[in-house]
């Protein structure tokens, strides 16, 4: 991590220290009190908003500019990754809220009108509105062109009909950015994006889903949901670009989350290996344990380098589009984190599959990272496509 920090600005190094201190203090205490949950904790939203952390997910002029962790004017991918990695290591509920506030409002931040930004982004940054990104459907995940939710123009409104699934923060969220087909015959060129507020007639936040690791996640339903045309984000039939612009930014941060999980697993494994004794000595003294720890640390270092390479290329204007680099970062970091955490469980032995041990929770948490925002298989296809188009 020292090498990565040497590449960053002093303010970014201070940000990491401040977030770590926040996790050790008030935020960590609230995290432990909440525990694993499938509900959005409003007190936790309020706590991280008051500290200024939610400002990092919106353009600076729309943030609260309050709290000791407030963001500067420009959105920085490297800074966002630093915060997400640090929270993932110690405060997973806060990490989810921090990330989803930014992703849910991302289409507005990157592609919304000035009026839309003024109306919604300050309320997201303050925690007044909990945001959600509603793209995935039962038959449309990575294949966005297969969206079945429709949006029919009717005067100065659109009428939405359809169902979403695996939507983080649903059904608790207040604000949903929703993607629907406005031209069903045009594939991904017929998709538009809309802002839908909870309480809109015809919108049902849907049922809460029960996952391997508890998360607030649900299945919103739209039945004759009438949305003002002013709530469309970007041009009609330009929703695919709106979605990809947001995901291109956030895909790298999934790798940062994986790095945070993996770092915590390595920390736990090293500490356990030092204190667990077998045959009269700590298991850390056995070569088999040392080989595992060495491989874990090396994969973690490689994953972190790929994540921050992508982030710094964007922040420094060297690569405005990160399609290749963000896919490489997500692919390697999430797959490496799965291996690292699996080995951490192995080092713990029976304790590793026992509730109450951190590595058991991490083992359940990490699995989803290889699926959402593009599966590992999809990342392989994206990377290969980029290489065949423009070999490096």
């Amino acid at each position: 991590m020292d090498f990565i920090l040497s590449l960053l600005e002093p303010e970014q190094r201070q940000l990491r220290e401040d977030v770590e201190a926040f996790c050790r203090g008030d935020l960590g205490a609230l995290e432990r009190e909440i525990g694993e949950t499938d509900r959005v904790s409003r007190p936790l939203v309020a706590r991280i908003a008051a500290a200024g952390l939610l400002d990092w997910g919106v353009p600076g002029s729309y943030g609260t500019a309050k709290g000791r962790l407030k963001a500067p004017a420009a959105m920085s991918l490297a800074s966002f990754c630093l915060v997400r990695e640090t929270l993932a290591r110690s405060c997973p509920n806060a990490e989810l809220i921090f990330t989803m506030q930014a992703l849910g409002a991302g289409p507005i931040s990157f592609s919304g009108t000035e009026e839309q930004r003024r109306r919604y982004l300050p309320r997201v940054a303050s925690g007044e509105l909990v945001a959600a990104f509603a793209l995935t459907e039962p038959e449309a995940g990575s294949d966005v062109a297969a969206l079945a939710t429709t949006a029919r123009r009717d005067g100065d409104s659109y009428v939405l009909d359809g169902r979403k699934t695996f939507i983080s923060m649903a059904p608790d969220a207040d604000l949903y950015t929703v993607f629907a087909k406005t031209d069903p015959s045009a594939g991904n060129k017929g998709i538009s994006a809309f802002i839908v507020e909870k309480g809109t007639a015809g919108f049902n936040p849907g049922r809460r889903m029960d996952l391997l690791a508890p998360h607030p996640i649900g299945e919103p339903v739209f039945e004759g949901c009438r949305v003002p045309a002013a709530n469309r984000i970007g041009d009609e039939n330009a929703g695919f670009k709106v979605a990809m612009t947001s995901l291109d930014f956030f895909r790298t941060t999934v790798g940062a989350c994986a790095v945070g999980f993996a770092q915590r697993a390595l920390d736990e494994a090293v500490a356990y290996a030092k204190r667990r004794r077998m045959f009269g000595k700590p298991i850390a003294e056995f070569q088999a344990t040392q080989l595992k720890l060495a491989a874990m640390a090396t994969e973690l270092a490689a994953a972190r380098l790929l994540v921050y390479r992508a982030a710094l290329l964007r922040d420094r204007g060297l690569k405005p589009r990160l399609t290749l680099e963000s896919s490489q970062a997500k692919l390697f970091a999430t797959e490496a984190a799965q291996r690292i955490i699996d080995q951490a469980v192995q080092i713990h032995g029976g304790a590793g599959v026992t509730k109450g041990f951190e590595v058991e929770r991490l083992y359940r948490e990490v699995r989803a990272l290889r699926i959402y925002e593009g599966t590992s298989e999809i990342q392989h296809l994206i990377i290969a496509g980029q290489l065949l188009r423009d070999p490096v």
Side-chain angles (χ1 to χ4, degrees):
M1 189 66 196
D2 289 344
F3 174 70
I4 299 296
L5 291 174
S6 73
L7 301 176
L8 302 177
E9 301 297 328
E11 295 80 6
Q12 292 173 312
R13 295 194 288 271
Q14 185 63 51
L15 170 67
R16 180 174 179 266
E17 291 181 13
D18 289 344
V19 176
E20 284 184 334
F22 191 28
C23 288
R24 289 193 300 269
D26 293 347
L27 187 64
L30 184 55
E31 274 276 346
R32 291 188 291 275
E33 179 183 329
I34 294 168
E36 292 191 70
T37 180
D38 63 355
R39 302 297 198 271
V40 173
S41 167
R42 297 287 174 159
L44 191 55
V45 174
R47 185 73 57 87
I48 63 177
L53 270 183
L54 297 184
D55 279 16
W56 290 93
V58 300
S61 59
Y62 303 98
T64 63
K66 298 178 181 178
R68 65 183 186 276
L69 300 175
K70 61 182 180 293
M75 290 182 72
S76 164
L77 181 52
S79 295
F80 196 96
C81 286
L82 277 174
V83 176
R84 189 170 185 188
E85 177 190 341
T86 305
L87 292 176
R89 185 177 179 182
S90 304
C91 297
N93 289 319
E95 180 274 319
L96 179 68
I97 292 168
F98 169 76
T99 303
M100 289 312 306
Q101 285 293 87
L103 177 60
I108 304 173
S109 295
F110 294 118
S111 307
T113 65
E114 181 62 24
E115 193 280 330
Q116 289 170 346
R117 291 174 178 175
R118 285 200 306 268
R119 182 176 180 183
Y120 293 109
L121 295 183
R123 298 162 70 194
V124 170
S126 71
E128 176 189 346
L129 296 178
V130 170
F133 185 88
L135 177 64
T136 303
E137 297 184 1
E139 301 299 329
S142 297
D143 182 10
V144 178
L147 285 182
T149 298
T150 60
R152 172 178 53 85
R153 185 70 184 250
D154 183 19
D156 60 357
S157 299
Y158 286 87
V159 180
L160 276 61
D161 289 282
R163 178 183 299 271
K164 300 291 182 177
T165 192
F166 294 114
I167 306 305
S168 290
M169 313 311 273
D172 300 331
D174 309 296
L175 176 72
Y176 295 75
T177 52
V178 181
F179 297 85
K181 284 283 187 70
T182 38
D183 184 353
S185 66
N188 60 25
K189 295 181 179 179
I191 297 169
S192 298
F194 301 92
I195 300 167
V196 181
E197 296 185 52
K198 195 172 191 177
T200 301
F203 172 52
N204 179 353
R207 75 177 185 92
R208 197 179 299 275
M209 303 177 72
D210 189 14
L211 301 187
L212 178 67
H215 282 282
I217 195 164
E219 296 187 312
V221 178
F222 306 87
E223 295 179 320
C225 177
R226 186 172 291 274
V227 177
N231 280 28
R232 190 187 68 222
I233 305 172
D235 295 333
E236 185 170 281
N237 297 326
F240 181 76
K241 181 179 179 181
V242 170
M244 294 305 110
T245 298
S246 294
L247 293 175
D248 200 38
F249 181 94
F250 287 100
R251 187 173 291 121
T252 301
T253 79
V254 180
C257 179
V259 167
F261 285 168
Q263 182 68 66
R264 180 62 182 272
L266 179 60
D267 294 344
E268 295 289 328
V270 169
Y272 188 81
K274 288 180 177 178
R275 70 174 183 268
R276 176 72 165 99
R277 299 181 66 85
M278 287 185 65
F279 306 109
K281 60 182 179 181
I283 63 172
E285 295 184 15
F286 290 99
Q287 189 178 55
T289 304
Q290 293 174 2
L291 292 173
K292 290 182 187 298
L293 293 173
M296 292 159 69
T298 302
E299 284 207 280
L300 175 58
R304 185 176 274 126
L305 284 168
L306 282 171
V307 167
Y308 288 96
R309 177 192 68 155
L312 290 171
L313 283 172
R314 179 199 180 273
D315 284 355
R316 296 180 180 178
L318 300 174
K319 284 292 289 288
R321 292 296 306 276
L322 295 173
T323 304
L324 174 64
E325 291 81 6
S326 64
S327 288
Q328 288 176 327
K330 181 188 187 296
L331 171 64
F332 187 84
T334 58
E335 293 286 343
Q338 182 83 55
R339 293 188 293 268
I340 292 165
I341 292 170
D342 182 72
Q343 292 287 24
V345 170
Q346 195 72 13
I347 288 170
H348 278 71
V353 293
T354 304
K355 293 283 189 182
F357 280 80
E358 189 66 20
V359 293
E360 185 275 336
R361 181 192 66 80
L362 288 166
Y363 191 78
R364 289 181 288 109
E365 287 276 3
V366 74
R367 189 60 186 85
L369 270 61
R370 294 164 60 204
I371 297 173
Y372 72 73
E373 290 193 36
T375 64
S376 292
E377 291 75 13
I378 291 295
Q379 301 312 318
H380 277 103
L381 295 177
I382 292 171
I383 293 166
Q386 290 293 305
L387 293 176
L388 293 169
R389 183 179 302 114
D390 184 21
V392 294

